[in-house]
Amino acid sequence: MLKIRIMPTLLYRDFELVKGVGFDSWRGVGSAMQAIRVYNMREVDELVFLDITAMQEDRRPDFELIDDLADECFMPLTVGGGVTSLEDVKQLLAVGADKVAMNSQAVHDPELIRAVSHKFGSQCAVVSIDARKEPDGRYQVYTHSGKKPTGLDPVEVAVRAAEYGAGEILLTSIERDGTMEGYDLVLTGRVSDAVSIPVIASGGAGQYEHLYEALQTGKASALAAASIFHFTEQTPLEAKRYLREKNINVRL
Amino acid sequence: MKKVAIIDYDMGNVDSVYRAVEECGGVPRITRDAAEIKNADCVILPGVGAYKDGMSNLREYHLDEIVGERVLVKKIPFLGICLGMQLIADKGYEFGETEGLGWISGEIIKLDPGDSLSRIPHVGWNEVHYNQSPLFDDIPQGKDFYFVHSFHFQPARQHFVLATTPYCGEFVSAVNRENIFGVQFHPEKSQRIGFKVLKNFLAL
């Protein structure tokens, strides 16, 4: 059986790892290299590394940094932030990323997804979608680290991404992110139902039970989480033990 | 220490494989140079990407002939990883039909979820059940390795099946013929258990 993956998310900003609440109020949580070494030792399933200011600052990914980090990372690594071209993807893969997450550019120009999947295969094309539940109850996709509203519905964006060759959707609830109050199960469930590629739930995990809910109700294939591992005593391994007791297939 | 030629044909994660080989005690060289490849004790063909591009790059750099001579004539150990495994088949069907290297007879076809709820691509950790082979020495049956792919190897003969994995029913996750090995999973990203496979390969 394929195992459910638990993926710690590392957000990078101004030379350190950070974690915020609702894509704001960032707090430093340490060095990226140190985090990768610790997660290596703990043999976590997979890591997500996102450079969250590249797009806002109109920068390309920091290939040198990724090269250094990937050299120490003996687990699958998904890298995102500032990816706007086929050349960016090529270089990220060359320095050691296993998958590349595309967000703003892929939302505005899905041809990038097609180009990447044709050249490097769907399996390395992760489309990252940040969505917010608006006061009227509708969901809207934002780009540029939650700064720019797009008028697009996350289900529509996910379906289109899959059609253009995306291999996975990394789906983050903006207003849940960092709150540790649980994933947005409605959002996750809707997107999971709409596509046949794996959906990684992200944003809001604070307890092991939240992870279970995202699998059962949200039908996610994998769980990305940050605050729960940065700010509490809870660990990916303990999370998996909890899930195993609930008859979820995990790798222990 | 074994000199390992990691074939550079512009298709992906050579750096990860390089680091993993280094950690496993081999002496890796990322190369497409005929003299360097001739000098190596064994060859790894990594690869992330589309079949057609992979094949045309191999041909463009004459790696089909250079590596072929070492592997088919001199019979040095060869390990294809992911796309690198798929390219040794007769044919691939990703974005149209493409002729492969044909070193192990078979076809590369898309995973078919059938009635199962399996999502494609197959991404994550899944079990590997193998037939006796030095490549899997000291590895418990059914251990999880890391996969990320949509296509799989369907060998022409049962004899070439080295391992299977339960997904979309079941698919062939490793193949072997003489000195030629191919694995669909990523040993370089499968932590300790993956490194054990690489160490076993280096010991062939």
Side-chain angles (χ1 to χ4, degrees):
Chain A
M1 282 286 280
L2 181 63
K3 309 302 184 291
I4 288 296
R5 287 167 287 154
I6 299 206
M7 306 161 57
T9 307
L10 308 177
L11 302 180
Y12 186 79
R13 177 194 165 104
D14 299 333
F15 309 107
E16 64 167 351
L17 295 183
V18 295
K19 185 59 213 176
V21 178
F23 283 30
D24 207 345
S25 320
W26 304 103
R27 283 164 65 180
V29 294
S31 110
M33 185 61 89
Q34 205 172 1
I36 283 178
R37 289 198 176 123
V38 168
Y39 284 131
N40 246 346
M41 244 157 35
R42 295 185 176 168
E43 299 215 307
V44 302
D45 293 333
E46 187 166 338
L47 275 184
V48 182
F49 180 91
L50 302 175
D51 181 341
I52 56 173
T53 48
M55 210 60 200
Q56 285 163 280
E57 293 168 1
D58 205 17
R59 278 191 288 114
R60 295 187 71 197
D62 185 339
F63 300 107
E64 226 169 287
L65 169 77
I66 303 300
D67 197 359
D68 287 346
L69 296 176
D71 276 354
E72 294 302 319
C73 185
F74 298 111
M75 65 212 122
L77 176 65
T78 298
V79 178
V83 178
T84 60
S85 68
L86 199 58
E87 185 56 32
D88 288 342
V89 174
K90 183 182 171 186
Q91 282 194 44
L92 284 174
L93 294 175
V95 298
D98 297 289
K99 296 186 274 187
V100 172
M102 298 169 275
N103 185 317
S104 307
Q105 190 70 24
V107 170
H108 295 295
D109 175 20
E111 280 301 332
L112 174 64
I113 308 170
R114 196 198 302 277
V116 170
S117 66
H118 273 234
K119 182 80 187 165
F120 302 107
S122 284
Q123 83 292 329
C124 75
V126 178
V127 171
S128 164
I129 300 173
D130 298 329
R132 185 191 292 279
K133 189 176 184 182
E134 303 293 5
D136 65 2
R138 280 185 297 193
Y139 288 94
Q140 182 176 198
V141 174
Y142 283 69
T143 60
H144 297 76
S145 283
K147 295 280 186 292
K148 289 195 182 172
T150 62
L152 298 168
D153 178 84
V155 169
E156 179 193 331
V157 172
V159 167
R160 199 176 53 181
E163 280 169 7
Y164 276 74
E168 272 181 299
I169 303 287
L170 171 60
L171 180 66
T172 305
S173 158
I174 296 174
E175 80 279 7
R176 293 281 177 135
D177 193 61
T179 61
M180 297 202 268
E181 285 168 1
Y183 292 98
D184 187 325
L185 302 176
V186 174
L187 172 67
T188 310
R190 278 188 195 166
V191 172
S192 296
D193 281 341
V195 296
S196 62
I197 57 177
V199 174
I200 307 161
S202 163
Q207 307 163 22
Y208 298 147
E209 197 187 339
H210 295 151
L211 304 171
Y212 181 69
E213 291 168 354
L215 300 172
Q216 292 300 105
T217 314
K219 297 166 203 156
S221 298
L223 306 159
S227 298
I228 183 173
F229 302 134
H230 288 313
F231 302 133
T232 78
E233 297 297 307
Q234 301 172 98
T235 66
L237 180 62
E238 285 294 323
K240 288 200 274 183
R241 290 199 177 120
Y242 174 91
L243 292 173
R244 159 117 1 141
E245 275 187 19
K246 298 228 174 203
N247 288 320
I248 302 284
N249 269 301
V250 289
R251 182 180 69 115
L252 283 176
Chain B
M1 290 210 288
K2 289 272 176 73
K3 284 178 286 204
V4 186
I6 299 169
I7 304 301
D8 178 13
Y9 61 119
D10 295 336
M11 294 304 284
N13 67 340
V14 287
D15 219 25
S16 309
V17 176
Y18 180 94
R19 283 288 295 127
V21 167
E22 210 173 39
E23 290 286 312
C24 291
V27 182
R29 182 65 70 95
I30 296 172
T31 181
R32 64 172 76 113
D33 177 77
E36 275 186 348
I37 293 170
K38 215 165 239 171
N39 193 29
D41 300 309
C42 55
V43 175
I44 295 180
L45 184 64
V48 173
Y51 202 91
K52 196 170 272 195
D53 288 332
M55 252 347 271
S56 65
N57 289 8
L58 279 182
R59 293 223 161 89
E60 190 190 325
Y61 298 131
H62 304 290
L63 290 163
D64 48 343
E65 295 154 27
I66 298 167
V67 180
E69 196 269 336
R70 298 294 294 155
V71 173
L72 300 175
V73 182
K74 301 291 179 204
K75 307 236 181 241
I76 66 169
F78 171 92
L79 179 65
I81 298 174
C82 198
L83 178 66
M85 170 223 212
Q86 299 184 351
L87 293 175
I88 64 178
D90 298 320
K91 251 184 227 174
Y93 290 97
E94 193 176 8
F95 304 122
E97 191 181 312
T98 307
E99 197 187 325
L101 293 168
W103 296 351
I104 292 185
S105 187
E107 296 186 338
I108 305 303
I109 55 174
K110 191 153 191 185
L111 285 166
D112 177 9
D115 297 333
S116 72
L117 293 169
S118 308
R119 290 176 186 258
I120 312 289
H122 174 224
V123 187
W125 297 81
N126 205 338
E127 292 143 47
V128 169
H129 300 275
Y130 60 84
N131 299 327
Q132 213 55 42
S133 162
L135 194 69
F136 289 103
D137 261 357
D138 291 328
I139 290 174
Q141 281 289 1
K143 271 285 180 189
D144 290 318
F145 287 82
Y146 189 79
F147 289 87
V148 51
H149 64 117
S150 306
F151 285 75
H152 70 103
F153 202 125
Q154 192 169 54
R157 291 172 54 192
Q158 185 61 28
H159 183 66
F160 301 140
V161 176
L162 180 57
T164 59
T165 293
Y167 198 71
C168 293
E170 187 181 83
F171 71 91
V172 173
S173 50
V175 292
N176 170 226
R177 183 173 72 82
E178 301 175 5
N179 55 317
I180 304 171
F181 293 85
V183 292
Q184 183 60 63
F185 54 84
H186 287 272
E188 78 282 11
K189 286 287 165 178
S190 297
Q191 298 162 349
R192 259 171 293 197
I193 203 77
F195 282 15
K196 184 63 192 147
V197 168
L198 289 177
K199 284 177 188 164
N200 286 343
F201 175 69
L202 294 179
L204 287 174

mmCIF file of all heavy atoms in Angstrom, chain A residues 59-87:
data_model
loop_
_atom_site.group_PDB
_atom_site.id
_atom_site.type_symbol
_atom_site.label_atom_id
_atom_site.label_comp_id
_atom_site.label_asym_id
_atom_site.label_seq_id
_atom_site.Cartn_x
_atom_site.Cartn_y
_atom_site.Cartn_z
ATOM 1 N N ARG A 59 12.437 38.037 -7.616
ATOM 2 C CA ARG A 59 13.728 37.351 -7.677
ATOM 3 C C ARG A 59 13.561 35.965 -8.279
ATOM 4 O O ARG A 59 12.504 35.366 -8.161
ATOM 5 C CB ARG A 59 14.263 37.103 -6.257
ATOM 6 C CG ARG A 59 14.946 38.194 -5.587
ATOM 7 C CD ARG A 59 15.632 37.670 -4.325
ATOM 8 N NE ARG A 59 14.716 37.331 -3.231
ATOM 9 C CZ ARG A 59 14.538 36.102 -2.780
ATOM 10 N NH1 ARG A 59 15.164 35.075 -3.324
ATOM 11 N NH2 ARG A 59 13.726 35.871 -1.768
ATOM 12 N N ARG A 60 14.665 35.426 -8.790
ATOM 13 C CA ARG A 60 14.661 34.023 -9.165
ATOM 14 C C ARG A 60 14.954 33.189 -7.909
ATOM 15 O O ARG A 60 15.394 33.732 -6.898
ATOM 16 C CB ARG A 60 15.737 33.764 -10.228
ATOM 17 C CG ARG A 60 15.454 34.471 -11.535
ATOM 18 C CD ARG A 60 16.444 34.048 -12.596
ATOM 19 N NE ARG A 60 16.202 32.666 -13.035
ATOM 20 C CZ ARG A 60 17.097 31.949 -13.705
ATOM 21 N NH1 ARG A 60 18.291 32.440 -13.976
ATOM 22 N NH2 ARG A 60 16.817 30.716 -14.087
ATOM 23 N N PRO A 61 14.728 31.887 -7.967
ATOM 24 C CA PRO A 61 15.080 31.055 -6.808
ATOM 25 C C PRO A 61 16.573 31.185 -6.506
ATOM 26 O O PRO A 61 17.364 31.462 -7.396
ATOM 27 C CB PRO A 61 14.748 29.636 -7.281
ATOM 28 C CG PRO A 61 13.780 29.797 -8.405
ATOM 29 C CD PRO A 61 14.118 31.091 -9.060
ATOM 30 N N ASP A 62 16.953 30.978 -5.256
ATOM 31 C CA ASP A 62 18.352 31.058 -4.850
ATOM 32 C C ASP A 62 18.988 29.673 -5.064
ATOM 33 O O ASP A 62 18.990 28.822 -4.171
ATOM 34 C CB ASP A 62 18.419 31.464 -3.369
ATOM 35 C CG ASP A 62 19.848 31.692 -2.900
ATOM 36 O OD1 ASP A 62 20.785 31.179 -3.551
ATOM 37 O OD2 ASP A 62 20.020 32.384 -1.879
ATOM 38 N N PHE A 63 19.515 29.475 -6.281
ATOM 39 C CA PHE A 63 19.986 28.136 -6.667
ATOM 40 C C PHE A 63 21.154 27.653 -5.808
ATOM 41 O O PHE A 63 21.281 26.475 -5.511
ATOM 42 C CB PHE A 63 20.380 28.118 -8.146
ATOM 43 C CG PHE A 63 19.236 28.464 -9.064
ATOM 44 C CD1 PHE A 63 19.202 29.696 -9.709
ATOM 45 C CD2 PHE A 63 18.186 27.581 -9.245
ATOM 46 C CE1 PHE A 63 18.144 30.030 -10.545
ATOM 47 C CE2 PHE A 63 17.121 27.899 -10.069
ATOM 48 C CZ PHE A 63 17.097 29.132 -10.724
ATOM 49 N N GLU A 64 21.998 28.596 -5.418
ATOM 50 C CA GLU A 64 23.153 28.226 -4.612
ATOM 51 C C GLU A 64 22.719 27.679 -3.256
ATOM 52 O O GLU A 64 23.225 26.674 -2.768
ATOM 53 C CB GLU A 64 24.028 29.467 -4.409
ATOM 54 C CG GLU A 64 25.498 29.225 -4.637
ATOM 55 C CD GLU A 64 26.225 30.550 -4.678
ATOM 56 O OE1 GLU A 64 26.090 31.279 -5.688
ATOM 57 O OE2 GLU A 64 26.884 30.864 -3.677
ATOM 58 N N LEU A 65 21.760 28.375 -2.668
ATOM 59 C CA LEU A 65 21.215 27.944 -1.378
ATOM 60 C C LEU A 65 20.590 26.547 -1.498
ATOM 61 O O LEU A 65 20.851 25.658 -0.687
ATOM 62 C CB LEU A 65 20.151 28.945 -0.905
ATOM 63 C CG LEU A 65 19.313 28.501 0.295
ATOM 64 C CD1 LEU A 65 20.102 28.642 1.582
ATOM 65 C CD2 LEU A 65 18.018 29.303 0.386
ATOM 66 N N ILE A 66 19.776 26.372 -2.533
ATOM 67 C CA ILE A 66 19.099 25.077 -2.716
ATOM 68 C C ILE A 66 20.137 23.972 -2.935
ATOM 69 O O ILE A 66 20.004 22.867 -2.422
ATOM 70 C CB ILE A 66 18.121 25.121 -3.924
ATOM 71 C CG1 ILE A 66 17.094 26.240 -3.759
ATOM 72 C CG2 ILE A 66 17.424 23.770 -4.107
ATOM 73 C CD1 ILE A 66 16.231 26.155 -2.549
ATOM 74 N N ASP A 67 21.186 24.295 -3.671
ATOM 75 C CA ASP A 67 22.260 23.340 -3.922
ATOM 76 C C ASP A 67 22.865 22.868 -2.602
ATOM 77 O O ASP A 67 23.024 21.673 -2.353
ATOM 78 C CB ASP A 67 23.329 23.999 -4.804
ATOM 79 C CG ASP A 67 24.253 22.971 -5.446
ATOM 80 O OD1 ASP A 67 24.058 21.772 -5.183
ATOM 81 O OD2 ASP A 67 25.149 23.371 -6.192
ATOM 82 N N ASP A 68 23.172 23.830 -1.718
ATOM 83 C CA ASP A 68 23.756 23.493 -0.413
ATOM 84 C C ASP A 68 22.802 22.640 0.417
ATOM 85 O O ASP A 68 23.199 21.661 1.035
ATOM 86 C CB ASP A 68 24.088 24.775 0.373
ATOM 87 C CG ASP A 68 25.309 25.481 -0.202
ATOM 88 O OD1 ASP A 68 26.017 24.852 -1.012
ATOM 89 O OD2 ASP A 68 25.531 26.655 0.149
ATOM 90 N N LEU A 69 21.537 23.043 0.436
ATOM 91 C CA LEU A 69 20.556 22.327 1.260
ATOM 92 C C LEU A 69 20.321 20.919 0.719
ATOM 93 O O LEU A 69 20.278 19.948 1.473
ATOM 94 C CB LEU A 69 19.224 23.096 1.301
ATOM 95 C CG LEU A 69 19.268 24.477 1.958
ATOM 96 C CD1 LEU A 69 17.905 25.153 1.828
ATOM 97 C CD2 LEU A 69 19.666 24.376 3.427
ATOM 98 N N ALA A 70 20.209 20.828 -0.605
ATOM 99 C CA ALA A 70 19.901 19.529 -1.215
ATOM 100 C C ALA A 70 21.039 18.541 -1.000
ATOM 101 O O ALA A 70 20.813 17.338 -0.891
ATOM 102 C CB ALA A 70 19.611 19.696 -2.703
ATOM 103 N N ASP A 71 22.267 19.056 -0.921
ATOM 104 C CA ASP A 71 23.418 18.177 -0.682
ATOM 105 C C ASP A 71 23.305 17.431 0.643
ATOM 106 O O ASP A 71 23.893 16.379 0.826
ATOM 107 C CB ASP A 71 24.717 18.996 -0.678
ATOM 108 C CG ASP A 71 25.235 19.214 -2.096
ATOM 109 O OD1 ASP A 71 24.643 18.636 -3.023
ATOM 110 O OD2 ASP A 71 26.212 19.955 -2.259
ATOM 111 N N GLU A 72 22.570 18.005 1.580
ATOM 112 C CA GLU A 72 22.423 17.382 2.899
ATOM 113 C C GLU A 72 21.083 16.683 3.061
ATOM 114 O O GLU A 72 20.771 16.158 4.120
ATOM 115 C CB GLU A 72 22.555 18.455 3.992
ATOM 116 C CG GLU A 72 23.929 19.065 4.082
ATOM 117 C CD GLU A 72 25.012 18.022 4.355
ATOM 118 O OE1 GLU A 72 24.764 17.114 5.176
ATOM 119 O OE2 GLU A 72 26.080 18.089 3.719
ATOM 120 N N CYS A 73 20.265 16.739 2.020
ATOM 121 C CA CYS A 73 18.886 16.279 2.146
ATOM 122 C C CYS A 73 18.719 14.926 1.458
ATOM 123 O O CYS A 73 18.627 14.860 0.240
ATOM 124 C CB CYS A 73 17.963 17.322 1.515
ATOM 125 S SG CYS A 73 16.218 16.954 1.713
ATOM 126 N N PHE A 74 18.675 13.856 2.230
ATOM 127 C CA PHE A 74 18.558 12.525 1.634
ATOM 128 C C PHE A 74 17.126 12.019 1.676
ATOM 129 O O PHE A 74 16.880 10.832 1.774
ATOM 130 C CB PHE A 74 19.531 11.560 2.303
ATOM 131 C CG PHE A 74 20.950 11.988 2.110
ATOM 132 C CD1 PHE A 74 21.716 12.443 3.168
ATOM 133 C CD2 PHE A 74 21.505 11.975 0.839
ATOM 134 C CE1 PHE A 74 23.017 12.865 2.967
ATOM 135 C CE2 PHE A 74 22.809 12.389 0.629
ATOM 136 C CZ PHE A 74 23.574 12.843 1.701
ATOM 137 N N MET A 75 16.206 12.962 1.662
ATOM 138 C CA MET A 75 14.796 12.608 1.526
ATOM 139 C C MET A 75 14.245 13.462 0.392
ATOM 140 O O MET A 75 14.871 14.448 0.001
ATOM 141 C CB MET A 75 14.050 12.852 2.830
ATOM 142 C CG MET A 75 13.993 14.306 3.228
ATOM 143 S SD MET A 75 13.980 14.467 5.002
ATOM 144 C CE MET A 75 15.441 15.467 5.225
ATOM 145 N N PRO A 76 13.086 13.085 -0.134
ATOM 146 C CA PRO A 76 12.541 13.842 -1.255
ATOM 147 C C PRO A 76 12.300 15.304 -0.867
ATOM 148 O O PRO A 76 11.821 15.584 0.228
ATOM 149 C CB PRO A 76 11.226 13.123 -1.549
ATOM 150 C CG PRO A 76 11.399 11.761 -0.974
ATOM 151 C CD PRO A 76 12.264 11.924 0.226
ATOM 152 N N LEU A 77 12.659 16.182 -1.790
ATOM 153 C CA LEU A 77 12.596 17.616 -1.508
ATOM 154 C C LEU A 77 11.809 18.331 -2.604
ATOM 155 O O LEU A 77 12.148 18.240 -3.780
ATOM 156 C CB LEU A 77 14.038 18.152 -1.448
ATOM 157 C CG LEU A 77 14.222 19.648 -1.257
ATOM 158 C CD1 LEU A 77 13.704 20.100 0.113
ATOM 159 C CD2 LEU A 77 15.699 20.031 -1.397
ATOM 160 N N THR A 78 10.764 19.024 -2.184
ATOM 161 C CA THR A 78 10.005 19.861 -3.111
ATOM 162 C C THR A 78 10.394 21.310 -2.849
ATOM 163 O O THR A 78 10.379 21.753 -1.705
ATOM 164 C CB THR A 78 8.488 19.679 -2.894
ATOM 165 O OG1 THR A 78 8.145 18.329 -3.164
ATOM 166 C CG2 THR A 78 7.689 20.598 -3.799
ATOM 167 N N VAL A 79 10.768 22.022 -3.909
ATOM 168 C CA VAL A 79 11.232 23.397 -3.741
ATOM 169 C C VAL A 79 10.327 24.350 -4.509
ATOM 170 O O VAL A 79 9.967 24.088 -5.660
ATOM 171 C CB VAL A 79 12.680 23.554 -4.257
ATOM 172 C CG1 VAL A 79 13.144 24.998 -4.138
ATOM 173 C CG2 VAL A 79 13.619 22.628 -3.497
ATOM 174 N N GLY A 80 9.947 25.449 -3.855
ATOM 175 C CA GLY A 80 9.119 26.446 -4.521
ATOM 176 C C GLY A 80 9.517 27.857 -4.132
ATOM 177 O O GLY A 80 10.348 28.064 -3.252
ATOM 178 N N GLY A 81 8.904 28.829 -4.831
ATOM 179 C CA GLY A 81 9.184 30.239 -4.581
ATOM 180 C C GLY A 81 9.979 30.843 -5.717
ATOM 181 O O GLY A 81 11.121 30.462 -5.943
ATOM 182 N N GLY A 82 9.353 31.747 -6.453
ATOM 183 C CA GLY A 82 10.061 32.452 -7.523
ATOM 184 C C GLY A 82 10.245 31.649 -8.798
ATOM 185 O O GLY A 82 11.050 32.021 -9.648
ATOM 186 N N VAL A 83 9.506 30.547 -8.936
ATOM 187 C CA VAL A 83 9.655 29.717 -10.135
ATOM 188 C C VAL A 83 8.756 30.253 -11.244
ATOM 189 O O VAL A 83 7.533 30.214 -11.137
ATOM 190 C CB VAL A 83 9.286 28.247 -9.848
ATOM 191 C CG1 VAL A 83 9.406 27.401 -11.104
ATOM 192 C CG2 VAL A 83 10.141 27.694 -8.724
ATOM 193 N N THR A 84 9.368 30.814 -12.283
ATOM 194 C CA THR A 84 8.554 31.432 -13.333
ATOM 195 C C THR A 84 8.860 30.911 -14.734
ATOM 196 O O THR A 84 8.210 31.310 -15.684
ATOM 197 C CB THR A 84 8.756 32.970 -13.366
ATOM 198 O OG1 THR A 84 10.132 33.229 -13.611
ATOM 199 C CG2 THR A 84 8.347 33.618 -12.062
ATOM 200 N N SER A 85 9.842 30.019 -14.857
ATOM 201 C CA SER A 85 10.203 29.583 -16.211
ATOM 202 C C SER A 85 10.696 28.150 -16.219
ATOM 203 O O SER A 85 11.035 27.591 -15.176
ATOM 204 C CB SER A 85 11.315 30.480 -16.763
ATOM 205 O OG SER A 85 12.504 30.238 -16.029
ATOM 206 N N LEU A 86 10.745 27.589 -17.417
ATOM 207 C CA LEU A 86 11.263 26.239 -17.606
ATOM 208 C C LEU A 86 12.720 26.160 -17.150
ATOM 209 O O LEU A 86 13.160 25.167 -16.582
ATOM 210 C CB LEU A 86 11.150 25.891 -19.097
ATOM 211 C CG LEU A 86 11.200 24.432 -19.492
ATOM 212 C CD1 LEU A 86 10.106 23.637 -18.808
ATOM 213 C CD2 LEU A 86 11.080 24.299 -21.006
ATOM 214 N N GLU A 87 13.447 27.237 -17.399
ATOM 215 C CA GLU A 87 14.855 27.291 -17.030
ATOM 216 C C GLU A 87 15.013 27.215 -15.499
ATOM 217 O O GLU A 87 15.915 26.544 -14.995
ATOM 218 C CB GLU A 87 15.482 28.575 -17.590
ATOM 219 C CG GLU A 87 16.978 28.714 -17.395
ATOM 220 C CD GLU A 87 17.789 27.544 -17.964
ATOM 221 O OE1 GLU A 87 17.359 26.947 -18.979
ATOM 222 O OE2 GLU A 87 18.848 27.226 -17.374
#
